[in-house]
Amino acid sequence: LLIGATAGYLHIGLTAGLVMSALETIQPGSFEPLAVESMAGSSVLAAAQVFSSINYFAFVCLTTVGFGDISPLLPLARMVSIGTSVAGPLYLAAVMGVLIGRYVSSVERR
């Protein structure tokens, strides 16, 4: 159960990273200081670096750490970032509620 809960949390983070990556591809300049438009004709490694930076930002939002090194600039990027920042604590609260509820019910049965 714990492994499934952890996998679900990682899945939310990776999904947020993919959504943010698609947003940066569709609207270049959505996140500062990433430079996707300068990658035209560049190597796959440069694209992987931008993708890993966006996934890093997604997990920073998901965990509500907020280092501030990458910032959403456009309105849609800000909405996705806020949605990710709200989804992280809500998921953790729901999972902890289920885990604590199951633990209490198993203790009461004994």
Side-chain angles (χ1 to χ4, degrees):
L1 187 65
L2 290 175
I3 293 173
T6 304
Y9 193 69
L10 292 174
H11 186 263
I12 292 172
L14 291 174
T15 301
L18 288 172
V19 169
M20 290 178 185
S21 180
L23 183 62
E24 180 65 30
T25 302
I26 294 168
Q27 293 180 333
S30 293
F31 300 96
E32 180 78 9
L34 302 175
V36 173
E37 63 259 359
S38 64
M39 288 183 352
S42 64
S43 70
V44 173
L45 295 176
Q49 183 178 2
V50 171
F51 183 70
S52 65
S53 296
I54 290 177
N55 275 309
Y56 157 77
F57 177 68
F59 278 98
V60 166
C61 287
L62 186 69
T63 58
T64 65
V65 172
F67 289 126
D69 52 346
I70 299 174
S71 302
L73 295 181
L74 300 180
L76 189 56
R78 289 179 178 173
M79 289 191 308
V80 169
S81 300
I82 289 171
T84 304
S85 298
V86 169
L90 284 178
Y91 180 82
L92 289 178
V95 167
M96 291 305 287
V98 167
L99 291 176
I100 291 170
R102 286 187 178 193
Y103 176 74
V104 169
S105 68
S106 71
V107 168
E108 288 176 352
R109 280 188 222 140
R110 291 182 200 166

